[in-house]
Amino acid sequence: MSRVTSSLNHYDIAIIGGGMVGAALACGLQQTDLRIILIDAAPLPAPPDHRLIALNHSSCTALQSLGIWDALADKAAPILKIHVTQRGKFGSVLLSAQEAGLTQFGAVVPAAAIQHALYAQLAQAEILHARVSGIQETTENVVLTTENATLTARCVIAADGTHSTVRKLLNIPTETIDYQQQALVTVTSLKQAHDGVARERFHATGALAMLPLQGNQAATIWSDTTAHIDALMQLSDKDFVARLQQQMGHYAGKLLDVAQRYTYPLTFMHVKPQQQVRQRIALIGNAAHTLHPIAAQGLNLALHEILFFVNYFAHRGAASLNLPQHPDYFAQQKTALQLSHRLNQLFCSDILPLSMLRGVGMSLLDICASAKQHFIARALGQNL
């Protein structure tokens, strides 16, 4: 990766943030004739990400168009079915990709593998390791000030995460909800084959997902109250497996052991659409919206935004770069935000009437083919 050293540089597009979202956008824009720079406060490549990512069908296609899927194919485990249950309550849903006319719903891929493939694709990209300390919008450009360079760009795309520096410098307000929850992430070894089934089991204060990985392993994401997750982190591996088995029941068969456990805080944050895209500055990914993992919408939504901007810029000359004021991905964004937030509210509650309604709804969904198709389409971002 080349480093920018001169004191004044001009670019068509500056991408702020070198995580998966920023790197994926840079990969896509490399396919245009625009001059691009990727800026991140930390040295790149970034430290390994321990999350396990559930990609929907559209996101797998997006990564193919970005040119990195071939590097991920042997690390991706297909999702052939989705089985949703609730602990201690009636009602369940089983969704089949075959019944939906798909070869698979998507795939589960370690985030570190996606990172590695993206950075390999960016081997010749222009990279600046610097913290952005100032942003000034003019009629023609955006001036970016860092500790060791001043840059101008026709457009700036901020992909610098939940605590976005760009968002703060521009004083863009957010709506934020602290769920007082954490997600515990690990890999569980299974005695029997998972057969490509992704399982999500809801309980009174959270949710437990076990998603297929290569081999007899499952990506395990347990979201719960901060106090409960802290207590789970204190358990030995043997005691944690026993607690996980108790919570999951027989649905995934016998659980053998787990890898190292990691935790992430869970919040809901989003920027209003009219604040997300200006004439020359846009926020994407977690800089614009941070979601609960319950519906696995986070990176999938970001990849949808990335493809939109790649296609948009590919059809515009460098002399006429202006950002669209009403991007057509806002409708899907609204759906993803509502799906993530409302599912957490609906399922992570043990109020009796709501619990009964939940069970009835899941049972009806399980037997109604048209309702299943509509639910699948919404989850995959289709026909919205």
Side-chain angles (χ1 to χ4, degrees), residues 218-235:
T220 303
I221 303 98
W222 190 334
S223 59
D224 213 315
T225 63
T226 298
H228 193 183
I229 295 298
D230 286 344
L232 291 174
M233 289 296 289
Q234 299 302 313
L235 297 176

Side-chain angles (χ1 to χ4, degrees), residues 305-320:
E305 295 168 344
I306 287 165
L307 280 194
F308 172 85
F309 279 112
V310 169
N311 291 330
Y312 178 81
F313 287 127
H315 292 91
R316 300 181 72 84
S320 60

Side-chain angles (χ1 to χ4, degrees), residues 57-92:
H57 188 270
S58 297
S59 292
C60 295
T61 302
L63 293 178
Q64 285 179 333
S65 71
L66 294 178
I68 70 163
W69 186 254
D70 287 348
L72 299 175
D74 64 344
K75 302 173 184 64
I79 299 174
L80 305 179
K81 293 182 180 180
I82 300 172
H83 190 203
V84 184
T85 59
Q86 45 180 355
R87 187 170 184 259
K89 305 289 191 305
F90 81 97
S92 66

Side-chain angles (χ1 to χ4, degrees), residues 198-278:
R199 306 182 187 278
E200 186 147 25
R201 189 157 171 78
F202 294 96
H203 51 270
T205 57
L208 174 59
M210 297 191 74
L211 314 177
L213 289 173
Q214 288 289 329
N216 280 10
Q217 292 188 314
T220 303
I221 303 98
W222 190 334
S223 59
D224 213 315
T225 63
T226 298
H228 193 183
I229 295 298
D230 286 344
L232 291 174
M233 289 296 289
Q234 299 302 313
L235 297 176
S236 67
D237 285 352
K238 180 180 178 181
D239 289 342
F240 177 78
V241 171
R243 187 72 59 86
L244 184 62
Q245 185 78 72
Q246 180 186 42
Q247 195 74 5
M248 199 65 194
H250 67 277
Y251 290 99
K254 183 174 177 57
L255 311 181
L256 301 178
D257 55 45
V258 292
Q260 187 171 349
R261 289 164 265 165
Y262 301 91
T263 62
Y264 300 89
L266 299 180
T267 59
F268 173 86
M269 181 281 293
H270 80 102
V271 172
K272 291 182 178 179
Q274 60 268 32
Q275 295 281 353
Q276 187 178 337
V277 181
R278 303 188 178 199

Side-chain angles (χ1 to χ4, degrees), residues 357-374:
L357 181 64
R358 223 166 38 212
V360 171
M362 291 171 70
S363 297
L364 290 174
L365 177 61
D366 193 50
I367 62 175
C368 180
S370 62
K372 277 187 177 182
Q373 291 284 356
H374 182 69

Side-chain angles (χ1 to χ4, degrees), residues 138-374:
T138 70
T139 56
E140 296 295 327
N141 297 298
V142 180
V143 181
L144 298 172
T145 304
T146 74
E147 66 267 29
N148 54 12
T150 299
L151 314 174
T152 61
R154 299 301 300 276
C155 293
V156 170
I157 310 293
D160 52 345
T162 302
H163 306 290
S164 170
T165 297
V166 172
R167 196 182 65 236
K168 292 174 182 176
L169 288 171
L170 295 173
N171 294 314
I172 296 176
T174 65
E175 177 187 347
T176 303
I177 300 172
D178 185 350
Y179 289 123
Q180 301 294 312
Q181 292 181 328
Q182 293 185 82
L184 184 157
V185 177
T186 189
V187 174
T188 304
S189 296
L190 312 175
K191 185 175 182 179
Q192 65 190 54
H194 51 61
D195 296 326
V197 181
R199 306 182 187 278
E200 186 147 25
R201 189 157 171 78
F202 294 96
H203 51 270
T205 57
L208 174 59
M210 297 191 74
L211 314 177
L213 289 173
Q214 288 289 329
N216 280 10
Q217 292 188 314
T220 303
I221 303 98
W222 190 334
S223 59
D224 213 315
T225 63
T226 298
H228 193 183
I229 295 298
D230 286 344
L232 291 174
M233 289 296 289
Q234 299 302 313
L235 297 176
S236 67
D237 285 352
K238 180 180 178 181
D239 289 342
F240 177 78
V241 171
R243 187 72 59 86
L244 184 62
Q245 185 78 72
Q246 180 186 42
Q247 195 74 5
M248 199 65 194
H250 67 277
Y251 290 99
K254 183 174 177 57
L255 311 181
L256 301 178
D257 55 45
V258 292
Q260 187 171 349
R261 289 164 265 165
Y262 301 91
T263 62
Y264 300 89
L266 299 180
T267 59
F268 173 86
M269 181 281 293
H270 80 102
V271 172
K272 291 182 178 179
Q274 60 268 32
Q275 295 281 353
Q276 187 178 337
V277 181
R278 303 188 178 199
Q279 184 178 5
R280 297 194 178 281
I281 301 175
L283 309 178
I284 66 171
N286 281 359
H289 39 70
T290 300
L291 308 181
H292 195 290
I294 197 169
Q297 293 292 305
L299 184 60
N300 291 305
L301 178 56
L303 285 168
H304 179 70
E305 295 168 344
I306 287 165
L307 280 194
F308 172 85
F309 279 112
V310 169
N311 291 330
Y312 178 81
F313 287 127
H315 292 91
R316 300 181 72 84
S320 60
L321 288 182
N322 288 298
L323 291 172
Q325 295 307 293
H326 301 285
D328 60 11
Y329 62 70
F330 280 151
Q332 178 159 335
Q333 184 185 104
K334 181 179 179 181
T335 298
L337 292 172
Q338 290 178 340
L339 182 64
S340 174
H341 183 55
R342 299 305 180 195
L343 277 179
N344 186 54
Q345 289 182 315
L346 174 64
F347 282 98
C348 299
S349 171
D350 211 29
I351 300 172
L352 184 59
L354 187 58
S355 175
M356 294 179 65
L357 181 64
R358 223 166 38 212
V360 171
M362 291 171 70
S363 297
L364 290 174
L365 177 61
D366 193 50
I367 62 175
C368 180
S370 62
K372 277 187 177 182
Q373 291 284 356
H374 182 69

